[in-house]
Amino acid sequence: MSVLFEPISIGSMVVKNRFVRSATQDTLGNEDGSISEKEILLYRRLAENDVGLIITAHSYVQHPLGRGSIRQNGIFNDSLIEGYQRLAAAVHPYGSKLVLQISHAGRQTAVDLPAGEQAIAPSAVTDNSTGITPRAMTSDEISQLIHAFVEAMVRAKRSGCDGVQLHIAHGYCLSQFLSPYTNRRTDEWGGCIKNRTRILKEIILQGKQLIGDDYPVLVKLNSTDGYSGAGYLCLQDVLYTARLLESLGVSAIEVSGGIRESKKVMSQPNIRQPEQEAYFAPAAKKIKAVVNIPVILVGGIRSLSVMEDLITRQTTDLISLSRPFVKEPDLVNRLRHSQTKAACVSCNACFSPNGLQCYYTGGINK
């Protein structure tokens, strides 16, 4: 049997195989942030087709400033728990695990903010992809943000989800604190890497006091801003962060990269050859070398042989896929039987406001 179909433990959670559906914004949520019927069907289809671990689309923890896009799911109040309870009930009969990803947009907020509202972020650094300039958060607002994440962690556990994942990637608020490019503060929340990771430490420590040490807390971690040179996130800081996260009791680290400004870094297009795949693998291998918790790798992975090599050569422990599951929700079963590669060609048409639209299937993946 291929190593891809062997079980693995992530903290107290046992995942039946090495396949992870990475958090994928589906823009199928209801306008109030609640889970829609279309999302229940989408997640059930992934589970019934043997995806071992399903990570939800990122759910925002503060309203309205935490919202990053239209029809994004939220977890900012107790009324939203019921939708995740239904989502968990939809996937658990098939043996899949469900982890709720939580986030705050920071300067990458939705452009349709209510009148009179301004995006908030660690520092007032303009997002050149949208022209949005946030205002720097006050110390009180940082405390409120920590509290919002902690409350969201509690809601994840109450919902029956098998774990929670902090979104510290892709240019959203927690990764904005991590990067010196977007965090130019001179107080205890900025400057050295110890200060830039302080908010992560506070969220995890305070959260674990309420959800317990046994409830799995995962993270999605940026390995790069998508830019190199002084003033941007460097690998040394990423490795420091990975070690810190493990020491705080994090159960697994999913490795990704890129921010909204650095186009074609996070979801690189036209991945057609094995040598183009797994573009965050070098960073993942270095992270795996300094931690003893499972590493999950996302980013352009398409071929069965590449997936197996990534695990057997100690680059990662689990394979995380996003775009391929839009094209083929049944990809795990296809790979188990005879298919050797995902059909996805990374055209990026799935980044559609109409909800997981694939050019090659002609519409919403139902």
Side-chain angles (χ1 to χ4, degrees):
M1 181 176 68
S2 169
V3 66
L4 295 169
F5 299 99
E6 294 178 357
I8 187 171
S9 294
I10 297 178
S12 61
M13 173 175 62
V14 179
V15 181
K16 64 182 175 179
N17 58 40
R18 303 303 178 93
F19 290 98
V20 179
R21 185 268 201 166
S22 194
T24 303
Q25 173 58 7
D26 51 51
T27 63
L28 296 175
N30 295 320
E31 292 294 339
D32 63 357
S34 61
I35 296 290
S36 70
E37 290 302 319
K38 284 186 177 181
E39 288 174 311
I40 298 290
L41 294 174
L42 171 65
Y43 283 67
R44 179 182 289 118
R45 189 174 184 190
L46 290 166
E48 67 187 7
N49 281 289
D50 219 23
V51 180
L53 172 59
I54 302 171
I55 303 177
T56 71
H58 66 144
S59 294
Y60 66 104
V61 302
Q62 274 187 329
H63 186 77
L65 297 181
R67 186 169 67 92
S69 66
I70 60 170
R71 294 191 296 278
Q72 181 186 357
N73 294 128
I75 192 66
F76 52 85
N77 65 41
D78 287 353
S79 70
L80 297 165
I81 294 174
E82 187 268 342
Y84 289 98
Q85 290 173 332
R86 293 171 58 229
L87 205 61
V91 305
H92 283 158
Y94 303 97
S96 297
K97 301 299 184 183
L98 183 70
V99 166
L100 200 166
Q101 188 188 80
I102 57 176
S103 74
H104 188 287
R107 70 179 191 143
Q108 291 187 171
T109 188
V111 295
D112 60 339
L113 276 177
E117 296 283 3
Q118 183 181 6
I120 57 173
S123 302
V125 180
T126 300
D127 182 340
N128 292 319
S129 67
T130 60
I132 291 174
T133 301
R135 61 176 176 81
M137 300 170 71
T138 66
S139 294
D140 284 346
E141 285 173 325
I142 293 174
S143 296
Q144 292 166 15
L145 179 62
I146 292 168
H147 182 65
F149 270 101
V150 170
E151 286 191 320
M153 294 168 74
V154 172
R155 293 186 186 112
K157 185 173 183 179
R158 288 176 58 193
S159 73
C161 290
D162 301 287
V164 64
Q165 185 184 61
L166 301 180
H167 198 353
I168 317 172
H170 302 167
Y172 292 103
C173 197
L174 294 185
S175 68
Q176 291 166 29
F177 272 93
L178 182 62
S179 171
Y181 173 53
T182 44
N183 184 349
R184 306 181 189 181
R185 302 180 71 94
T186 57
D187 60 6
E188 68 270 30
W189 305 104
C192 65
I193 185 61
K194 181 178 180 180
N195 283 354
R196 284 183 276 126
T197 55
R198 189 182 303 275
I199 190 170
L200 308 180
K201 183 176 181 180
E202 290 300 320
I203 291 169
I204 294 168
L205 289 179
Q206 292 183 33
K208 279 185 167 290
Q209 287 181 350
L210 298 178
I211 62 175
D213 289 332
D214 290 339
Y215 190 69
V217 177
L218 293 71
V219 302
K220 190 167 195 172
L221 180 64
N222 244 22
S223 60
T224 176
D225 290 329
Y227 303 110
S228 59
Y232 296 105
L233 183 64
C234 67
L235 186 58
Q236 181 180 356
D237 286 352
V238 173
L239 297 179
Y240 172 95
T241 305
R243 288 189 292 261
L244 172 67
L245 293 168
E246 181 182 28
S247 74
L248 295 171
V250 163
S251 298
I253 297 172
E254 183 179 11
V255 182
S256 190
I259 63 176
R260 188 162 61 184
E261 281 185 19
S262 57
K263 300 182 185 301
K264 299 183 179 180
V265 172
M266 176 176 60
S267 301
Q268 296 184 19
N270 304 315
I271 305 298
R272 298 175 183 269
Q273 302 298 324
E275 57 269 22
Q276 296 174 296
E277 299 182 31
Y279 35 81
F280 299 122
K285 192 172 186 67
K286 291 181 179 178
I287 290 171
K288 185 166 171 56
V290 300
V291 299
N292 295 304
I293 54 176
V295 170
I296 306 168
L297 177 61
V298 71
I301 306 171
R302 302 290 180 264
S303 303
L304 183 68
S305 60
V306 171
M307 297 175 189
E308 291 175 331
D309 283 349
L310 287 167
I311 294 176
T312 58
R313 296 185 181 183
Q314 299 293 302
T315 297
T316 188
D317 298 289
L318 296 99
I319 302 298
S320 194
L321 306 169
S322 175
R323 293 170 287 176
F325 283 134
V326 178
K327 173 68 175 175
E328 297 173 289
D330 58 347
L331 179 59
V332 173
N333 285 330
R334 288 172 177 265
L335 294 174
R336 186 196 301 273
H337 291 113
S338 61
Q339 191 166 309
T340 60
K341 186 178 181 179
C344 175
V345 295
S346 308
C347 69
N348 285 349
C350 49
F351 298 121
S352 165
N354 296 321
L356 294 189
Q357 183 174 348
C358 181
Y359 176 82
Y360 291 96
T361 55
I364 294 174
N365 200 343
K366 297 180 181 178

